[in-house]
Amino acid sequence: MQVFRVCDKEEIDKILGGVDFRYIGAPGEIYKREPGEVVVNNHFYEENEMYMHFFPKFGDLFYINLEEGKYICIYDIPEEILNESIGYGEYKDLFTYSLSRKVPEYCINSKKLKFEYIEQISLITHYIDYMDFLSEEPLDEFYEPIYIKNAGKHIF
């Protein structure tokens, strides 16, 4: 199933440089919650493990800052991996900014991921606002693919 992720140049450099996925993502210990702390998602994290978060819908990327210089990644991850990692994250509502929404997301232990799951990596060349997404214009002008699986071409 296709899922979507936003990441920075450091992560892309590691991926394209052949770094093992178990060293990519964010460490579980940064998500450790203290008693009484506001819960922003319902995922379980183990210390000394790395995790990557994905959205099931492209439109949910807009809960993240889609600024110039970041990357949009499209992965095709096996259902059995996704099924064991589904949960929700809490994000500000895109219209009111005062309410929060529980948004479906996958939190996957990075060691379960492989390069072969990546379908496309695109560099964001212009800031993408949620209103851009709502317009009927294609978003192609906002990002440029640098990797397309099976296209026979990598642009680095």
Side-chain angles (χ1 to χ4, degrees), residues 125-142:
T125 56
H126 298 86
Y127 174 76
I128 307 172
D129 183 86
Y130 190 67
M131 296 308 286
D132 296 319
F133 178 71
L134 291 178
S135 80
E136 294 185 21
E137 299 296 319
L139 293 175
D140 297 350
E141 66 187 65
F142 292 96

Side-chain angles (χ1 to χ4, degrees), residues 54-101:
F54 299 86
F55 291 107
K57 294 191 270 183
F58 182 82
D60 289 339
L61 291 177
F62 293 94
Y63 289 105
I64 308 291
N65 187 0
L66 296 177
E67 64 189 35
E68 182 177 334
K70 296 236 181 219
Y71 294 81
I72 297 173
C73 301
I74 303 172
Y75 284 69
D76 186 9
I77 299 176
E79 299 265 345
E80 59 270 11
I81 294 173
L82 294 174
N83 289 340
E84 65 189 28
S85 61
I86 186 70
Y88 70 84
E90 204 160 303
Y91 295 90
K92 290 204 184 260
D93 183 277
L94 294 169
F95 294 105
T96 66
Y97 291 105
S98 59
L99 302 172
S100 60
R101 289 187 179 264

